[in-house]
Amino acid sequence: MSEDTETADDQQLAVVVHKPRSQVAIESLQAEGVYDDSRSVTEWTADSVAVPVTAPPQETQFREVVRQVGKRRLRTLDDHLRERGWTDAEIDAAPSSWAVLGSVVLVDIGDSPRPAEVGDALLALHGEAETVLARHGISGEHREPSVEVIAGDGDTETVHTEHGTRYAMDLAEVMFSPGNKAERARMGEIVSEERGTRPSERASGEAASEGGERVLDMFAGIGYFTLPMARAGAQVTAVERNPTAFRFLVENVMLNDVDERVHPYRADCRDVVPGFASEGRADRVVMGYYEAHEYLDSALDALAPGGVLHMHEATPDSLVFDRPIERLEAAAAEADRDVEVLDTRRVKEYSEGVAHVVVDARVR
């Protein structure tokens, strides 16, 4: 770093980073406390961006420190739309939330007027992004997204980093729910906290086993829960039947250096459970699917006595949490097993009047 850079006005500094890793850099700068969110991220070269900082970072990797970069940020989408001449009534109909996933902004456009202008405004607000996708819903046996490019270069493939876990995906082909962020992080934290003494061993009083928990992720997708659990030390059997999601699952296992701890299967989870259980039953089973109750018999076959089950469901508000618990207890009773509910959580709103919930239970 030059002497001139070191004595620069801290309010006018920026660091140049490789464009594909701009999100990772911003998260790292935020963690260091030197990211200047009052100024915009701007393009520096064809493959890099300048990210504004309040001081030269000590931990974040960057190419160089530069000066006088980044216009004073219009801080909200409303600011950008107002600058484009939108009326207050039009702004009231604009999206109120969106997610930046790597280089892609994912937004529910709703009844907003002029979606292309909304897209351009979001790109101006998030200088690290390159494409804006309007999300229209999920459908089909493999829960495939319906999306539309409304701004940017149209590249829907990206790598999103979340709590240190990297997710490669094509948002035009696979589902990724920003609202599940806390739940993905929580699963990694649970495994990390409890590694070395498996749930079934704590329940039975057996000595702790080496190698981390044995986990079955019955609906793994691109690795939503598999990756944070494997990064925390679990041995995860990850099952996914959607060929596109499975391709990204395998890619993400390699991307996160957990190939020695993840055993992926492209199959229906019902077909995997018998062989899995014959080799040793799971300390933890994850059922990250809204109709998971239909597979409870297989989940219980795979789960060791004293193991923990995480069952997801889309439940009408009037039946939260009664319906998923009743379904779990009924399936356990049929298998002659007992259930102890450990925790219940609302993850997010699934649709109007319907909540995405999770029930955690120990099954003996």
Side-chain angles (χ1 to χ4, degrees):
M1 189 179 300
S2 69
E3 182 178 348
D4 179 62
T5 299
E6 290 175 351
T7 60
D9 179 355
D10 285 351
Q11 296 304 312
Q12 297 298 321
L13 296 180
V15 291
V16 177
V17 301
H18 189 42
K19 187 178 291 185
R21 67 175 304 273
S22 56
Q23 185 195 21
V24 176
I26 289 171
E27 291 180 357
S28 178
L29 293 167
Q30 288 172 331
E32 282 196 59
V34 297
Y35 177 59
D36 184 357
D37 65 0
S38 71
R39 290 182 288 139
S40 300
V41 176
T42 57
E43 188 172 66
W44 186 250
T45 65
D47 70 342
S48 68
V49 293
V51 182
V53 294
T54 58
Q58 301 301 310
E59 300 173 7
T60 304
Q61 294 183 352
F62 58 89
R63 292 183 179 178
E64 60 179 318
V65 176
V66 294
R67 300 179 63 179
Q68 303 293 331
V69 174
K71 297 179 180 179
R72 191 60 52 182
R73 184 191 294 273
L74 295 173
R75 298 187 66 85
T76 68
L77 178 62
D78 291 1
D79 291 341
H80 283 273
L81 294 176
R82 194 168 283 111
E83 191 178 61
R84 286 166 168 76
W86 282 45
T87 66
D88 288 343
E90 290 173 329
I91 289 173
D92 286 343
S96 59
S97 64
W98 54 90
V100 181
L101 303 175
S103 59
V104 178
V105 179
L106 193 62
V107 60
D108 291 319
I109 202 70
D111 296 324
S112 174
R114 301 192 291 285
E117 289 188 22
V118 173
D120 289 339
L122 285 169
L123 287 179
L125 185 62
H126 300 285
E128 69 274 23
E130 298 176 353
T131 298
V132 180
L133 285 181
R135 180 172 54 184
H136 298 306
I138 304 291
S139 62
E141 179 183 1
H142 291 153
R143 297 190 55 73
E144 295 163 342
S146 173
V147 297
E148 176 188 4
V149 176
I150 60 173
D153 64 14
D155 186 359
T156 57
E157 287 201 25
T158 190
V159 177
H160 171 61
T161 303
E162 192 176 272
H163 300 289
T165 301
R166 303 178 71 191
Y167 296 93
M169 68 191 97
D170 185 338
L171 287 163
E173 297 190 28
V174 299
M175 178 183 66
F176 192 90
S177 176
N180 294 357
K181 179 177 181 178
E183 188 66 16
R184 287 188 288 269
R186 195 186 74 89
M187 295 307 296
E189 291 164 0
I190 285 177
V191 171
S192 178
E193 290 171 0
E194 301 183 355
R195 183 174 52 190
T197 304
R198 297 177 176 178
S200 57
E201 292 161 349
R202 289 194 303 277
S204 65
E206 296 176 12
S209 297
E210 298 180 357
E213 294 180 10
R214 179 170 163 81
V215 177
L216 174 64
D217 188 351
M218 296 179 68
F219 310 96
I222 66 170
Y224 312 110
F225 303 122
T226 287
L227 297 172
M229 288 189 296
R231 291 184 64 239
Q235 296 288 329
V236 186
T237 295
V239 187
E240 175 55 47
R241 66 182 182 182
N242 179 328
T244 303
F246 182 79
R247 174 169 62 86
F248 282 107
L249 169 64
V250 173
E251 180 177 339
N252 287 329
V253 166
M254 303 300 292
L255 188 63
N256 287 274
D257 295 322
V258 290
D259 49 297
E260 293 185 357
R261 292 196 291 274
V262 177
H263 314 283
Y265 288 84
R266 184 189 160 198
D268 187 295
C269 55
R270 290 190 185 279
D271 297 331
V272 173
V273 163
F276 173 88
S278 69
E279 295 177 0
R281 298 169 82 182
D283 301 295
R284 191 179 301 274
V285 172
V286 183
M287 307 181 75
Y289 173 52
Y290 294 130
E291 301 296 330
H293 67 94
E294 297 178 356
Y295 296 80
L296 278 168
D297 55 341
S298 290
L300 293 172
D301 286 344
L303 187 65
V308 176
L309 181 71
H310 303 275
M311 173 184 165
H312 293 237
E313 186 180 283
T315 310
D317 287 339
S318 60
L319 299 178
V320 174
F321 289 94
D322 294 338
R323 189 176 75 177
I325 291 174
E326 289 172 359
R327 284 172 164 172
L328 175 55
E329 290 177 339
E334 188 171 338
D336 197 25
R337 300 182 69 172
D338 295 324
V339 171
E340 175 193 357
V341 175
L342 303 175
D343 192 15
T344 56
R345 289 176 311 289
R346 280 180 178 260
V347 176
K348 64 179 185 301
E349 182 182 19
Y350 173 72
S351 60
E352 186 174 355
V354 179
H356 172 187
V357 302
V358 183
V359 175
D360 296 344
R362 191 180 306 284
V363 184
R364 295 184 173 85

